Amino acid sequence: MATLEQLGNALRNADQAGDVQAATRLAAEIKRMRAEETPTAGGRHLSFEEGAALLDREESAANGSGTFGAATTSYINGIPIAGPILLDGTQRGAAALSSAINGKGYDENLKEAQALTKAAQEAHPRVSTAAGITGAVAGTLPMVAAAPAAFGGGSAGLLTRSGMSMLSGGAVGGTDAAVRSGGDAGEIWNGIKWGGGLGLAGPAVGKAVGSGARKLMDLYRTAQAAQAAGTKLGTVNQIAKAIAGDGLDEAGVRLRLDRLGPEGMIADLGPNTQGKAAALAAMPGRGQDVMRSALEARQAGANARIAEVVDETMGRNVIPSFVDEGIQANQRVLGPEYQRLFRNVRPHDFLPIADDLDRQIHTLRGDAQRALRQVRGMLNTTGTDRVSNDPRVAFQTRQAIDGMLGTETDTKVVAALTEARQMIDDSLTRAVPQLKEVDSAYAELARQREALTRGQSVLDHGRTAPRPAELEREIAEGGLPQGEQIGPSAVPFRLSQGARAEVDRILGSNANDIARLNKLVKSEGDWNRARLAQLFGQEKADRLFGALDNELTFARTRQAVTSNSETARRLQHIADLGGTGDPNLARNAYAAGGAAGAVRAAGIRTADKIANAIMGGRREAANASLAEAMVSNRDALVDALAQAQRRGQNTKLVEDLAKSILLGPGATGAR
């Protein structure tokens, strides 16, 4: 009679040959022989039907569905306290459904479901164990998250939290044991010990695991952000450390770079980033070239950037002398208009003015009296003592008074001449009706000339410079029309042109000294900012001053990085050329340790050279990467720096999970 092994070989051969009938017959024979050889628990051999059913269960447990069943039932059963109840309910539900389908009794189907569960778990012990632990953790995690203080969470000290976790872990373990053992006291005590012991360690272990997980997650996220920024993790870490040393967080970095504009660099952010940049600029290699080239290129464009901002905020530059020549040319155009007005003018009686001047001359003394006598003589017909009735004589007298007022400083003389001029002007208005229109046009041009000159002094620091309040009044009054003029005056515009020309003069004289340029344009107080705001608007003044601030920051970064690292550069180059080190190293080593000492010293020196040669390339590549990042301000790099600064954030979920991993198996440790 063939053995089971022989029948198995025959079955495989028939299957490979495609002989379905032979394979079916051999499979039935194998099943019959196994059924006959399988005894019951009491030693009785199973019937053929019982053995076949048992074999069916074993085959089901051994295949894929058995693996799934082992995992599912073990997961459910692993849930603390509720697991056995849930598994029993699942089995009973399956038995009831099977009874409705196959017609067997409920108890028989229930036993069948329980047997299948046991067979699957025994057939897949590793899957069952892993699923059971997973179920225990999954069942414990909601409790830990829902009541963190009861399971060792919160802000209390470690000792207090460990005590609370021990109590809650013991309660979970004891209750679970009571459910599974039917209330057996020994099992309950065993569950309390397991749950309480592992619960006691939960907070400490959770903190340690959470810290480790936090570090791993931080490292991964920062590495991903660095890769997205096109740089290295080490580069991001070094810059993040420097930025933290400057007291900047993510918002501070973004705000400062935004203010610096497109020319701003990471190296500009503070003393620590400048120090890092200076170190790179002092070490020969590609990193040094990158750092110095970027700073020098930015410095070379400083004047053009400032000039562009000045043009955009203050308008195109003008040359005051050219503008003044244009105004004078317009004044000369008005000369023929005066000639036209006086061409057919009628005589006018100016005797009342002469009489009034005579009365003042009789009472005045000194320079005021002499000035009025001079004016009184101008009103006479040439070579006589008679007052002329020709309006042209009165007009020329008024013009002469204007010349005298332009140079006079004595207040009494000025008052007397001003009154005399006003009387003559009133009479001329009556004698030549259209004279005031031409006078207004001429006076407007004269005011514009004066405003152009005044504008060139508004940024001065001396006594003649107007205070902001005074300039504000000058601008307001200067815009008002005078005399017969129609429409606003151009005086405020000429003031702004004069100020613009003065700024250009300062730029041209101090283009290569950004610090001095800042001092001259901005002054030490806020007056120049207020003056420029009044002339050009607050927004434009702020933009100009912001640009000057930025250029000063750029210049200081360049100074700190390139000028203060020359000594270090020289020392590094000397070292590269072999000019450092102890020339008497071998001799001193021989004196201290003999021939063996000299050999060791030579070996150490050789090892150092080899190590430096190996590490030199890596160091230079790292420095180049750092330099490229330091001279940039890309958003992706700032994102990477922000990610590096977000390290150490709360990982409560990880800590809860770690505690659940302890408490879950602790609750089932005595099973």
Side-chain angles (χ1 to χ4, degrees):
M1 183 177 181
T3 64
L4 282 173
E5 182 178 358
Q6 291 173 338
L7 290 174
N9 292 332
L11 177 59
R12 282 191 292 273
N13 293 334
D15 184 58
Q16 292 176 358
D19 190 344
V20 178
Q21 293 182 352
T24 302
R25 178 177 55 78
L26 289 169
E29 181 64 20
I30 291 172
K31 183 178 291 188
R32 183 189 63 77
M33 291 182 65
R34 284 183 176 178
E36 291 176 352
E37 292 180 358
T38 304
T40 65
R44 179 182 64 84
H45 283 275
L46 298 175
S47 65
F48 176 80
E49 291 77 9
E50 291 174 333
L54 178 59
L55 288 174
D56 288 338
R57 288 196 299 269
E58 290 179 350
E59 290 177 0
S60 177
N63 61 21
S65 61
T67 303
F68 176 77
T72 304
T73 56
S74 297
Y75 177 88
I76 296 173
N77 190 53
I79 298 174
I81 303 175
I85 300 173
L86 293 174
L87 179 61
D88 182 65
T90 302
Q91 291 172 338
R92 290 182 180 277
L97 181 62
S98 298
S99 297
I101 295 174
N102 58 25
K104 295 181 181 179
Y106 171 78
D107 291 339
E108 183 179 357
N109 280 322
L110 178 60
K111 291 180 181 180
E112 181 72 17
Q114 292 171 342
L116 282 173
T117 298
K118 183 178 180 181
Q121 291 176 347
E122 290 177 349
H124 304 281
R126 294 182 179 177
V127 173
S128 298
T129 301
I133 294 175
T134 303
V137 172
T140 309
L141 184 59
M143 292 188 288
V144 175
F151 289 90
S155 58
L158 180 61
L159 183 61
T160 301
R161 291 188 290 111
S162 297
M164 293 297 296
S165 181
M166 180 183 69
L167 294 176
S168 57
V172 172
T175 304
D176 181 74
V179 171
R180 295 178 187 277
S181 66
D184 183 86
E187 292 297 327
I188 293 173
W189 174 241
N190 199 24
I192 292 174
K193 288 190 296 181
W194 274 89
L198 293 178
L200 178 65
V205 173
K207 183 177 181 180
V209 172
S211 177
R214 179 169 54 244
K215 291 179 180 178
L216 289 175
M217 287 189 293
D218 287 341
L219 184 65
Y220 173 76
R221 290 170 180 169
T222 305
Q224 291 294 104
Q227 184 178 5
T231 187
K232 299 179 180 179
L233 175 62
T235 296
V236 172
N237 288 336
Q238 288 204 49
I239 299 178
K241 183 178 179 181
I243 290 174
D246 288 327
L248 294 173
D249 57 8
E250 176 186 356
V253 170
R254 294 188 187 278
L255 177 61
R256 189 162 297 186
L257 288 176
D258 184 61
R259 287 177 177 174
L260 291 174
E263 297 296 328
M265 300 177 180
I266 297 294
D268 297 316
L269 293 178
N272 281 282
T273 56
Q274 287 181 352
K276 188 77 69 177
L280 290 168
M283 299 179 65
R286 185 168 175 271
Q288 181 187 86
D289 294 338
V290 170
M291 180 59 64
R292 288 177 170 268
S293 297
L295 293 177
E296 295 299 335
R298 184 173 68 175
Q299 177 66 20
N303 294 340
R305 290 193 298 273
I306 294 175
E308 181 180 2
V309 172
V310 170
D311 286 342
E312 292 175 354
T313 56
M314 304 180 72
R316 66 181 183 86
N317 183 41
V318 296
I319 299 177
S321 61
F322 293 178
V323 177
D324 188 65
E325 289 175 1
I327 297 175
Q328 291 185 68
N330 290 332
Q331 286 180 317
R332 288 192 293 270
V333 170
L334 293 175
E337 289 297 314
Y338 281 110
Q339 295 175 7
R340 181 184 62 81
L341 291 175
F342 287 99
R343 185 173 300 156
N344 299 314
V345 69
R346 296 179 180 181
H348 186 76
D349 183 12
F350 294 100
L351 184 59
I353 299 175
D355 292 340
D356 190 272
L357 290 176
D358 287 336
R359 286 192 295 271
Q360 293 186 54
I361 291 170
H362 181 71
T363 58
L364 290 174
R365 294 294 183 271
D367 292 339
Q369 184 186 57
R370 287 191 293 271
L372 287 187
R373 280 177 178 172
Q374 186 178 359
V375 172
R376 173 64 184 84
M378 294 179 189
L379 289 175
N380 292 337
T381 302
T382 304
T384 69
D385 291 333
R386 298 192 307 272
V387 176
S388 174
N389 62 359
D390 189 346
R392 289 172 294 184
V393 173
F395 178 74
Q396 293 300 324
T397 301
R398 191 189 72 173
Q399 297 294 86
I401 294 175
D402 288 338
M404 296 168 66
L405 287 171
T407 59
E408 187 57 59
T409 58
D410 190 318
T411 56
K412 290 185 178 180
V413 176
V414 170
L417 290 175
T418 301
E419 184 178 354
R421 186 192 189 284
Q422 186 63 49
M423 289 189 297
I424 295 173
D425 189 67
D426 291 342
S427 293
L428 282 173
T429 301
R430 291 190 292 272
V432 187
Q434 296 181 341
L435 177 62
K436 298 306 295 182
E437 296 179 8
V438 181
D439 277 348
S440 295
Y442 192 92
E444 166 64 15
L445 295 174
R447 293 173 65 211
Q448 290 184 28
R449 291 187 65 195
E450 183 180 354
L452 181 68
T453 302
R454 179 62 165 167
Q456 297 174 66
S457 67
V458 297
L459 300 180
D460 288 348
H461 310 303
R463 292 183 178 180
T464 59
R467 290 174 171 79
E470 293 172 335
L471 179 62
E472 183 179 14
R473 185 177 63 186
E474 289 183 27
I475 294 173
E477 293 178 353
L480 299 176
Q482 301 293 320
E484 300 297 321
Q485 178 186 353
I486 299 175
S489 171
V491 166
F493 174 67
R494 298 303 184 190
L495 282 170
S496 65
Q497 280 189 314
R500 170 66 179 89
E502 179 63 11
V503 169
D504 187 70
R505 186 193 66 80
I506 295 173
L507 291 177
S509 302
N510 304 274
N512 295 321
D513 190 345
I514 302 298
R516 179 171 174 78
L517 178 64
N518 266 263
K519 184 176 181 180
L520 290 173
V521 175
K522 296 168 59 179
S523 74
E524 296 181 357
D526 293 331
W527 280 15
N528 277 357
R529 181 186 290 270
R531 291 163 177 161
L532 291 175
Q534 290 163 355
L535 288 170
F536 302 100
Q538 187 66 55
E539 182 180 353
K540 292 182 177 180
D542 289 343
R543 184 181 174 192
L544 173 62
F545 276 58
L548 292 175
D549 283 336
N550 290 345
E551 293 300 334
L552 182 59
T553 298
F554 300 160
R556 287 174 176 171
T557 297
R558 175 178 173 272
Q559 176 72 17
V561 172
T562 62
S563 298
N564 297 335
S565 58
E566 294 303 323
T567 300
R569 290 182 71 202
R570 286 193 293 270
L571 292 176
Q572 184 64 44
H573 281 295
I574 291 172
D576 290 343
L577 296 174
T580 60
D582 185 1
N584 299 317
L585 177 62
R587 180 184 301 175
N588 294 335
Y590 179 81
V599 172
R600 285 195 298 271
I604 292 173
R605 174 178 286 179
T606 302
D608 285 343
K609 290 183 178 179
I610 295 174
N612 289 335
I614 294 174
M615 298 301 295
R618 293 183 180 179
R619 182 170 58 249
E620 183 171 343
N623 289 347
S625 173
L626 181 59
E628 290 171 352
M630 293 289 290
V631 299
S632 72
N633 61 4
R634 304 187 307 274
D635 288 339
L637 178 59
V638 177
D639 292 340
L641 294 173
Q643 177 57 51
Q645 286 194 322
R646 283 195 289 266
R647 293 178 180 178
Q649 291 183 335
N650 183 30
T651 52
K652 182 178 180 300
L653 178 59
V654 177
E655 293 186 16
D656 290 348
L657 182 60
K659 287 185 285 188
S660 300
I661 291 174
L662 288 178
L663 290 175
T668 58
R671 297 177 193 172

